[in-house]
Amino acid sequence: MSQVRVAAVHAAPEYLDVAATVEKACGLIAEAGAQGARLVVFPEVFLPGFPYWINCYPPLLQTALHARYLAASVTVPGPEIRRIQEAARAAGTAVVLGVNEREGSSLYNTQVFVSETGDLLGRHRKLQPTFAERTIWAAGDASTLSVFDTAIGRVGGLVCWEHTMNLARHALVGAGEQIHAGSWPSLSTTVGFADVYDDQVEAMSRNHAITGQCFVVVSQNPVNQQVLDVLEEAAGPQDLVTLGGGWSAIIHPMTPYLAGPHTGPEETILVADIDLADVDGTKVFVDSVGHFSRSEVLSLHVDNRPKKAVTFAVGDGVRREPLEPFADSEG
């Protein structure tokens, strides 16, 4: 399948409401599928929304919101993800969904990859939470730095400022990425970022398109009144984040826009028809892991073994037989 239609969701979640956001996501998947999309990309942690409070209040005032965010997390796999899988299968479209993932009592900023037949292909956990995000999320490892085979091509993704991690991007290129899912929050209405954030997203996204010779689908959410109400009700007034923002687009490997960029509070689904033959056409000029590489001078080694805090040399460390009673001093 050379020519396919892809979609970028430019929409806000039902903030911190997992069930309602799952319903909205399923509706958006159905809508995109009805428009012929065979890949739908959602913003960063669309389920259940980006924790904008981390940049607005002193850490000790955020504790209750952190606990609320933990409660609004999902497991992968899990019941919420199964709903997304069902929606993907019904719409006949692959999905990349940003979620607040929980494992144990730790949270991860995760992209979930679902096939057009509803299979859970895998996940990518953000390798390095950015700035104040480190008070919320643990760091991922390279075991989830992956590219997945779908019916429309090889799809990979990164989250927000991971796009500044050139080696992470190059790892995806080396894995044969053809379509890149860039999941971002909206920070253009955050103090200090109004004049630079959209430009940064554009620069990083178009740069990855040409240096990776891949299509790039960028998805962001606008900040709506729900977000501001939750912040003020939970932690008090703030003037560091305001309404609006969001920057979504679909970009050709040679960097022209195929859809967007769309900015602002109006929710929409951007769609564009792409031709994967254009990936090879671009690689005629520059193939970053082929004829335009110099592996004898520069090369990348990726340690993609899972990293655990505790490992057991034999078994899983769980004793399933009752302990033998201690022998008394008489023997």
Side-chain angles (χ1 to χ4, degrees):
M1 184 182 297
S2 176
Q3 298 183 3
V4 295
R5 180 166 292 180
V6 298
V9 170
H10 184 96
E14 299 296 328
Y15 199 56
L16 302 192
D17 187 329
V18 173
T21 301
V22 168
E23 289 297 324
K24 183 168 185 175
C26 290
L28 290 165
I29 292 168
E31 182 179 346
Q35 295 182 49
R38 292 298 169 257
L39 172 69
V40 185
V41 177
F42 282 84
E44 176 174 347
V45 288
F46 186 78
L47 183 60
F50 186 81
Y52 287 99
W53 61 84
I54 58 177
N55 296 314
C56 299
Y57 305 98
L60 289 178
L61 295 185
Q62 300 179 30
T63 305
L65 279 166
H66 283 4
R68 184 173 174 182
Y69 205 55
L70 182 66
S73 58
V74 300
T75 57
V76 181
E80 295 84 6
I81 302 304
R82 283 194 289 274
R83 288 288 314 283
I84 301 301
Q85 292 175 252
E86 293 165 1
R89 180 170 55 250
T93 180
V95 174
V96 182
L97 177 68
V99 306
N100 177 38
E101 181 196 2
R102 177 174 182 166
E103 182 175 308
S105 294
S106 291
L107 297 177
Y108 296 89
N109 186 333
T110 297
Q111 290 174 306
V112 174
F113 292 76
V114 176
S115 78
E116 66 288 338
T117 57
D119 297 317
L120 179 58
L121 298 174
R123 64 188 167 196
H124 167 61
R125 289 173 170 174
K126 189 175 182 180
L127 292 172
Q128 181 59 62
T130 306
F131 192 52
E133 291 178 3
R134 294 169 204 168
T135 65
I136 287 271
W137 289 305
D141 61 40
S143 68
T144 68
L145 187 60
S146 305
V147 171
F148 301 96
D149 284 314
T150 73
I152 67 165
R154 293 181 58 75
V155 180
L158 293 173
V159 179
C160 194
W161 269 27
E162 273 191 309
H163 290 84
T164 68
M165 302 176 73
N166 293 330
L167 298 184
R169 294 193 304 102
H170 197 59
L172 297 181
V173 177
E177 184 181 54
Q178 295 174 299
I179 305 171
H180 179 81
S183 298
W184 299 73
S186 173
L187 295 179
S188 61
T189 64
T190 299
V191 168
F193 284 88
D195 296 329
V196 298
Y197 185 71
D198 288 352
D199 289 344
Q200 291 174 353
V201 176
E202 178 184 29
M204 285 185 257
S205 301
R206 298 181 79 179
N207 177 63
H208 187 63
I210 185 61
T211 59
Q213 303 89 56
C214 60
F215 291 92
V216 176
V217 183
V218 183
S219 178
Q220 283 191 22
N221 64 278
V223 176
N224 62 16
Q225 191 61 44
Q226 281 184 334
V227 174
L228 303 187
D229 290 345
V230 166
L231 267 57
E232 182 164 347
E233 290 168 7
Q238 61 82 33
D239 57 4
L240 299 178
V241 176
T242 57
L243 293 170
W247 190 101
S248 302
I250 300 171
I251 303 168
H252 187 276
M254 291 293 271
T255 74
Y257 290 111
L258 301 178
H262 177 80
T263 62
E266 180 186 359
E267 297 192 351
T268 189
I269 300 175
L270 280 70
V271 298
D273 294 321
I274 68 173
D275 190 340
L276 292 184
D278 290 350
V279 170
D280 287 338
T282 306
K283 287 183 181 292
V284 168
F285 297 96
V286 52
D287 184 350
S288 297
V289 291
H291 64 75
F292 212 76
S293 67
R294 287 291 304 276
S295 58
E296 79 282 13
V297 179
L298 299 168
S299 62
L300 173 64
H301 170 75
V302 180
D303 182 357
N304 60 356
R305 294 169 295 180
K307 304 300 185 294
K308 299 292 184 181
V310 179
T311 59
F312 296 90
V314 179
D316 58 8
V318 178
R319 184 181 292 275
R320 294 178 174 80
E321 298 297 326
L323 291 169
E324 293 293 329
F326 287 109
D328 61 27
S329 60
E330 300 292 328

